[in-house]
Amino acid sequence: TALFPALSQWLYSPQHTCVLQFCELTNHIGAGASFATVRDAAITYCNTVRAAGWKLAFHIPTPRAERATPGYAGSASAWQVGQLATYDSACNYFRGRPLGELWDFPPLDLAAVPALANPYDLANYQADGCHKTAAGISAKLAAVAAYTASLTL
């Protein structure tokens, strides 16, 4: 977020849209950030991007497995107990924002894509419960491509 104003001067074009993928904020959750910290970081980023003149599209991320689930205790990428609740709170908060408050297009809810909704699905997720398999990546790419194609500037 701190670097965005400087980068935006270099990258800015009125024909471009900034697509914020909430994945970095899921990393914040994994590092132990609270709902308020995650929410405030995303709001700051959204406001900074829009103040720089960019149109903003927002992707709500996919969930991660929890370490309390059998088979995931050793996964460094899976969330600790309670972090899924933080994710749910953050996603629900952002799903509930009216269009124009933080972004310029309806958000893409990747967690609503059937192939991406279940981090325990080994067809689409690796055994760490976080990263996608080739099939999961394909599902995500298809959803993002369809969403991006629907954006009108």
Side-chain angles (χ1 to χ4, degrees):
T1 302
L3 291 176
F4 188 82
L7 289 174
S8 68
Q9 298 303 314
W10 178 61
L11 297 172
Y12 177 70
S13 168
Q15 293 86 20
H16 291 128
T17 297
C18 177
V19 178
L20 174 59
Q21 194 162 338
F22 198 64
C23 290
E24 187 56 38
L25 298 180
T26 62
N27 290 339
H28 289 3
I29 292 169
S34 68
F35 161 70
T37 299
V38 170
R39 178 200 61 217
D40 294 349
I43 289 171
T44 297
Y45 185 86
C46 291
N47 289 337
T48 301
V49 167
R50 292 180 82 214
W54 290 71
K55 290 185 179 277
L56 182 66
F58 191 84
H59 294 185
I60 293 173
T62 55
R64 293 187 187 183
E66 287 191 285
R67 291 183 192 158
T69 304
Y72 292 88
S75 172
S77 297
W79 283 329
Q80 298 288 351
V81 173
Q83 291 176 326
L84 183 59
T86 302
Y87 162 84
D88 287 340
S89 295
C91 290
N92 289 334
Y93 175 83
F94 288 107
R95 285 180 185 119
R97 305 290 24 107
L99 186 62
E101 179 182 306
L102 295 173
W103 41 72
D104 302 289
F105 305 97
L108 168 60
D109 193 345
L110 290 169
V113 175
L116 302 176
N118 180 2
Y120 304 101
D121 172 9
L122 294 177
N124 292 297
Y125 282 85
Q126 295 178 26
D128 68 357
C130 172
H131 299 96
K132 314 296 182 284
T133 62
I137 291 169
S138 293
K140 183 175 180 178
L141 286 174
V144 170
Y147 173 77
T148 303
S150 75
L151 299 178
T152 55
L153 299 178

